Each structure stands twice: as C-alpha cells, then as structure tokens.
Amino acid sequence: MKKILLILLTLVTLKAIGQDTIITEKPVDPLLLQLNNFHDKISNMNLDISTLKLNDINWKKITKFSTIYGAVNGGNSLSDVDVYSVTNGLETQTVQTPYDYSVILGVRKIARMGYEPKENFKNGMENSFSDASTIGKVKGFEYLFEVSFVRQEGENYNNQHHFLRYIDDNYILKGEYLEDGFADIKYFETSQRYRHNVEDFGDKLTFLPDALKKGRLSLNIGAAQRLSEPYGFDPLEEWQLSNGNLHYTFLALEEGYSVDFTNPEGIQYLDPSGNVVATNTEIWEAVVIPTVLSDYADKKRNELENTIQHSLIIGFDYYYYSKKLWLHSWGNVMPWHYDAGDEFSYHKYNNGEQWYDYSGGLIFGWKFDKHLGVFVEGKYNKYWNREWHDFSLGVNYIIF
C-alpha cells in the first residue's frame, strides 16, 4: 500500500509541474552571444608554453605562400653644393652628399588585397599601405619581418618592422615592433581585441552608395600594451635657467669641452679630445653648441629604461572591392591610458591628463570608365609626441 501511495504522489507532482511550467523562447542578443563565444575560446586556450613541442607545429602551413626577399636599392642624393667664405680671403668649399641606398631583407605572409597589383618580384620598396590595417583579407595567421639599412641625404638609419597577427571571427591578436629612424620612433606593441562584424548595413548608413553597403565592416575593442622609451622626457630641462634660457656653456664643460683663454692668437674652444672646434664665440654658439646639445639629449635618452604603457584601444576596419570601385579604411584610437605613477610616465609630461593616440589609413580607387580613374592612399600615426605618415593621390587617364 505504501508503494502504491508513493507512486500516486509522484504522478500527481509530475502532472502539477507539467501544468504550471510555461516554455518561452527568449530572443538571443547576437552581440552577447559573440562575447560568450569569445570568452569561451580565450578561457579554453592552453597558455602553458612548456607543453609546446616544435614537432607539433605545422611549419608547412605557416610558411605556405610566404615570400622571402632581399634587395639592394640606390640612387643619387643631393647634388654637390659650393659654400663660399671670405674670412681669410675668398675660399670655396664643396659639400658632397653620398648617394642614397637601402639594403632590405625580409619575409612576409600577408594575403594580397583585391586592389593590390600582383608583383613579379619584391624589392622591399613597395608602399604597401594595407600592411598597417587592423584586419587582412583572410582569417588566420599572417606575419611580416623586415629589416633595412638606409642612407638618405647623408644620414644613416637602421629600420625594422615586424608583426604577427591572428584574425578570427570573434577576436584579433597582434604583436608588432617598429623602429623608424627617419621618424625617430621605436616601440613594441601587443593588443588583444574582441571583434564584432556588421553583416548588414541596411538603411542605417544612408550616406553610403549602394555599392559600398556591400562591404565588410568590423568593429573591435580591447587592450594594448606598448613598451618604449619614455617619450616626452626633456633631458635639457634640468639645465634651464629661471628666465627660460639654457646654461649651455656650463653643460658643455660638464661634457668634457674646455675653453682656452691663454692662447696668444685668441680664445679657443676644445672638444673632449683636445681638438680645437671653434676660435670665436659665434662659431661656438652656432656650430658646436647645437652638436653638444644633440649628443647630450641622445645620451640621456639612451640611459633611460623602457617603460610599459597599458591602454584601452578601439578600432574599425572596412573593406569593399570591385574592379571599378574599392575602399579600404581603418582606424584605431587609444582614449585612456593607465597611469602607474612612474617617474617617466607620459602622464607627467601631459600635466597629469589623459591624451589620444591614434592611427588610421585610407585606400580608395574609382575607375569612372575605361579611360579615367582616380586614387587616394595614405596612412597616419600619432603616438605620444611622435607623428609619421605617408600618402599618395592622383589621376590616371589611359589613351587608346
């Protein structure tokens, strides 16, 4: 009897639950769903590099379609310039600037965008603006490693540009090292971003032509970490007087220069090796002192350790291509930076306030017909107090 009663109570309970339960379908937010997927992928990643075995890496897949290149390029620099002097009678001095050259070595695996021409050979001088874009043409792993030794207008530079990036539907991982001697910028940067793809513009962007509404738009947000010298640091600040002038002669004496007042022929200024570099105050201030200040600033900057900067990064990437019209645009902005309170933090040189670091690029081409076409290409970067950019624009008209 007890067993029969328990069975009856169980059946009644199940019936009551079945009557009271209402099944409803809640709409799923696509953005929230992608964030959950992104979180699951990151949480399931194995970050223990000790388990990594070189034999497990598919080197053939990594190197497939990559290009190894090396080239030497050269050309004339500034023409010879005659400099005249009448200090000791008429004297003529010819200033010669050695020819320009570049030695470039590199390896790259970056999918060619639709608007980029196919090249028979790479010489390293190509102006591939699209390399700076956040997202490439394909998903997966891409990389660039390039070093160059350049002489331009008599000045020597050692440049490097390396990056690794992995593009997924939901996230972007990238590490980059840039050393540009001409722009005087050097840093290492890593970033981890969540990516959201806008599949359909609909009527939201009415200002875009119908053709461009078919393009791919990707929005991203995440964190960036940059390792660099403490930009903003002024090594000459400690030598400034209360009136704003610089005690440059005392600085030069501290750096090993000397002044000889005992020479019968007049005052002489000597460098740390004892060589006479000036015989009057005008030459000392106009020629020698600028070199002293420049050398001192470089020395003090090189003595400082690199600093790390953590920043919030927000960006976008848009790509559309057809044979008659193409548009590729990207942008990144860092509106907030963590202030660790370090002695050489850039916040200190910015009056303790936040600042905007940003970069972007635009590649646009439009062929009106078989004859006429226009193009605009360029990129711009501003990090700390450094700016570097390139651009190209023009018109093509084919006669036939």
Side-chain angles (χ1 to χ4, degrees), residues 221-400:
I221 185 172
Q225 307 81 35
R226 290 174 294 172
L227 185 67
S228 70
E229 69 171 81
Y231 290 111
F233 167 69
D234 183 6
L236 299 178
E237 183 178 4
E238 62 178 310
W239 295 97
Q240 288 186 349
L241 303 174
S242 57
N243 59 3
N245 293 329
L246 192 70
H247 203 331
Y248 51 82
T249 298
F250 187 68
L251 188 156
L253 295 177
E254 289 290 319
E255 289 300 297
Y257 287 80
S258 59
V259 184
D260 182 7
F261 296 98
T262 63
N263 191 289
E265 297 181 0
I267 188 172
Q268 289 185 337
Y269 297 88
L270 296 85
D271 65 12
S273 300
N275 300 315
V276 177
V277 292
T279 56
N280 58 67
T281 305
E282 289 75 14
I283 297 297
W284 169 251
E285 294 180 347
V287 178
V288 181
I289 287 299
T291 302
V292 173
L293 299 181
S294 178
D295 292 343
Y296 177 80
D298 289 341
K299 184 184 73 171
K300 299 300 290 185
R301 285 172 54 184
N302 292 332
E303 288 177 353
L304 299 178
E305 296 183 355
N306 289 334
T307 60
I308 188 168
Q309 181 75 67
H310 299 273
S311 307
L312 170 70
I313 188 167
I314 304 171
F316 78 93
D317 191 286
Y318 174 85
Y319 176 70
Y320 172 79
Y321 172 75
S322 69
K323 292 183 178 180
K324 290 188 176 181
L325 176 66
W326 56 88
L327 174 62
H328 189 187
S329 179
W330 63 92
N332 301 282
V333 61
M334 299 182 192
W336 182 87
H337 315 271
Y338 174 69
D339 186 3
D342 297 336
E343 179 183 0
F344 299 109
S345 169
Y346 192 74
H347 290 81
K348 177 182 178 181
Y349 309 118
N350 200 48
N351 299 320
E353 299 179 355
Q354 293 289 343
W355 69 96
Y356 290 95
D357 287 340
Y358 47 87
S359 63
L362 173 67
I363 299 174
F364 173 77
W366 186 9
K367 293 184 178 180
F368 296 98
D369 51 37
K370 295 181 179 180
H371 301 275
L372 182 61
V374 296
F375 68 92
V376 178
E377 300 178 343
K379 60 182 180 180
Y380 179 84
N381 300 269
K382 183 179 183 298
Y383 277 10
W384 305 291
N385 58 344
R386 294 292 190 273
E387 297 180 72
W388 65 103
H389 52 81
D390 300 284
F391 70 90
S392 177
L393 65 143
V395 178
N396 285 184
Y397 186 87
I398 301 175
I399 302 174
F400 56 85

Side-chain angles (χ1 to χ4, degrees), residues 39-248:
H39 173 269
D40 292 341
K41 288 186 178 182
I42 295 299
S43 60
N44 292 328
M45 290 178 65
N46 182 8
L47 301 179
D48 185 1
I49 62 174
S50 64
T51 63
L52 180 64
K53 297 180 180 179
L54 295 179
N55 293 334
D56 296 335
I57 300 176
N58 190 341
W59 293 106
K60 183 176 181 180
K61 183 178 180 180
I62 292 176
T63 58
K64 188 176 182 180
F65 299 124
S66 64
T67 302
I68 301 175
Y69 56 94
V72 178
N73 308 281
N76 292 339
S77 187
L78 299 174
S79 61
D80 297 344
V81 178
D82 292 331
V83 178
Y84 300 97
S85 173
V86 293
T87 304
N88 298 313
L90 180 60
E91 296 180 352
T92 304
Q93 180 183 6
T94 301
V95 178
Q96 297 178 334
T97 303
Y99 64 90
D100 293 345
Y101 73 85
S102 64
V103 180
I104 302 175
L105 302 171
V107 56
R108 60 183 286 135
K109 181 184 177 181
I110 305 174
R112 183 168 54 90
M113 309 300 287
Y115 52 77
E116 293 183 307
K118 187 176 181 180
E119 301 154 340
N120 294 324
F121 295 98
K122 291 194 67 65
N123 60 16
M125 300 294 289
E126 298 83 5
N127 209 355
S128 300
F129 292 106
S130 63
D131 288 353
S133 62
T134 307
I135 298 173
K137 185 179 180 181
V138 299
K139 293 188 298 182
F141 186 60
E142 293 186 316
Y143 52 82
L144 167 70
F145 298 97
E146 182 179 284
V147 296
S148 59
F149 308 94
V150 181
R151 183 169 68 193
Q152 184 174 349
E153 298 181 6
E155 297 292 335
N156 295 318
Y157 305 103
N158 296 331
N159 300 328
Q160 299 184 61
H161 188 200
H162 318 300
F163 74 74
L164 297 163
R165 70 183 177 195
Y166 186 85
I167 307 298
D168 187 81
D169 286 333
N170 303 114
Y171 62 89
I172 306 168
L173 304 176
K174 185 176 182 180
E176 180 178 26
Y177 177 78
L178 176 68
E179 181 179 355
D180 189 332
F182 194 74
D184 191 23
I185 185 75
K186 180 170 64 174
Y187 65 89
F188 174 72
E189 175 182 300
T190 59
S191 63
Q192 311 80 37
R193 315 188 199 190
Y194 162 71
R195 177 188 181 189
H196 176 66
N197 298 311
V198 180
E199 302 294 344
D200 185 12
F201 290 102
D203 296 327
K204 299 177 182 178
L205 301 177
T206 56
F207 61 89
L208 280 179
D210 292 337
L212 294 180
K213 292 181 180 180
K214 301 177 182 178
R216 302 199 314 258
L217 176 63
S218 175
L219 307 176
N220 58 80
I221 185 172
Q225 307 81 35
R226 290 174 294 172
L227 185 67
S228 70
E229 69 171 81
Y231 290 111
F233 167 69
D234 183 6
L236 299 178
E237 183 178 4
E238 62 178 310
W239 295 97
Q240 288 186 349
L241 303 174
S242 57
N243 59 3
N245 293 329
L246 192 70
H247 203 331
Y248 51 82

